[in-house]
Amino acid sequence: MSPEVVAHRGASTLRPEHTLAAYELALRQGADGLECDVRLTKDGHLVCVHDRTIDRTSGGAGTVSAMTLDELRRHDFGSWHGGEPAEVLTLDALLGLAADHGKRLFVETKHPVRYAGLVERRLAEELGRHRVDAVMMSFSVLAVHRFKKLKPDVPTVLLYDRLWPKVKPHFADYAGPGVHLLRRHPDRGQGVYAWTVDDPADIALCQERGVRFLATNNPEETREHLADNLTPDQP
Ligand code: G3P
Ligand code: CA
């Protein structure tokens, strides 16, 4: 089986990350799933922003957790990348898009943050309002644990960056190594979520080693590489 292709921050090579345009392109490119990072605004909305601040990915500046949704909406999240002007994307809107297209959405909660466990509580509430196939992820063991207690039926991924222990905690359904860790431990690839996989040699490694979910910034090219690598009798 080839890995499922997960669009990392949308089709973020070609479109500004975490914008509607990036996710719509990923869907047109045939991504199997979508990935996003979420942060909580000052007035309690989950928005799709990777960094603590909006300085890198918008025309403005400031810390997400210190701004209201209305304040964030005054900034353009598209032009920095050469794209069309774009509003900050709420998780609510992205959940709606994923549900409409029947795609799995991988939601990563960022930590440490000012609002700590409130982020997972708000995520659990939002998932309750949408009929969507969601997966919760985090580098924070505590965050994955507390989310699992809130929403036992939603699959979880514990992400790994520097070290990848052989055994994962029981509340994590999948291990989520960076692809640099998979290169170091190729024998552990079966059934994992690997990120961020854009290089053809890494794509081939994921395929050979039975990776289940492959997060990439470029879903179209990744799908082409996966198809090229298949031998005629492979699914
Ligand atoms: O998909 C997991 C990956 O996104 C984790 O790293 O920094 O890109 O959020 P980062
Ligand atoms: Ca992420």
Side-chain angles (χ1 to χ4, degrees), residues 43-234:
D43 55 342
H45 296 273
L46 285 170
V47 289
C48 303
V49 179
H50 178 273
D51 302 355
R52 195 176 64 85
T53 73
I54 63 168
D55 303 16
R56 179 180 62 86
T57 57
S58 80
T63 305
V64 177
S65 62
M67 299 168 89
T68 64
L69 181 57
D70 278 349
E71 283 166 346
L72 284 167
R73 282 187 166 140
R74 289 182 207 135
H75 298 287
D76 170 14
F77 285 76
S79 304
W80 68 277
H81 191 275
E84 296 293 313
E87 238 185 32
V88 69
L89 185 63
T90 60
L91 179 65
D92 185 59
L94 186 55
L95 283 166
L97 185 75
D100 286 350
H101 289 263
K103 298 292 178 181
R104 190 176 272 142
L105 183 63
F106 293 77
V107 184
E108 181 186 344
T109 62
K110 288 297 189 194
H111 291 280
V113 286
R114 178 182 307 202
Y115 302 118
L118 186 56
V119 181
E120 282 72 39
R121 292 209 295 280
R122 289 283 297 120
L123 175 59
E125 285 164 21
E126 289 225 17
L127 294 183
R129 286 199 290 272
H130 291 266
R131 291 181 70 82
V132 70
D133 192 2
V135 178
M136 180 274 176
M137 311 193 293
S138 190
F139 287 104
S140 161
V141 183
L142 281 177
V144 175
H145 192 198
R146 69 180 159 237
F147 181 82
K148 197 61 171 178
K149 283 192 271 182
L150 291 168
K151 282 266 175 196
D153 296 341
V154 174
T156 51
V157 177
L158 180 57
L159 297 167
Y160 297 108
D161 189 1
R162 261 169 276 175
L163 289 172
W164 181 7
K166 263 192 178 160
V167 181
K168 64 174 170 51
H170 63 91
F171 46 83
D173 296 289
Y174 300 97
V179 73
H180 55 289
L181 293 173
L182 181 65
R183 281 185 222 124
R184 211 180 295 163
H185 303 288
D187 51 313
R188 298 193 203 161
Q190 190 67 39
V192 306
Y193 171 103
W195 55 275
T196 303
V197 189
D198 292 335
D199 178 80
D202 288 335
I203 295 167
L205 175 67
C206 289
Q207 202 167 15
E208 282 161 26
R209 296 296 172 161
V211 164
R212 167 102 192 254
F213 306 109
L214 179 164
T216 174
N217 297 312
N218 202 333
E220 185 159 52
E221 276 190 11
T222 297
R223 289 184 69 232
E224 284 166 7
H225 285 301
L226 288 170
D228 289 348
N229 294 344
L230 286 179
T231 53
D233 55 346
Q234 276 181 292

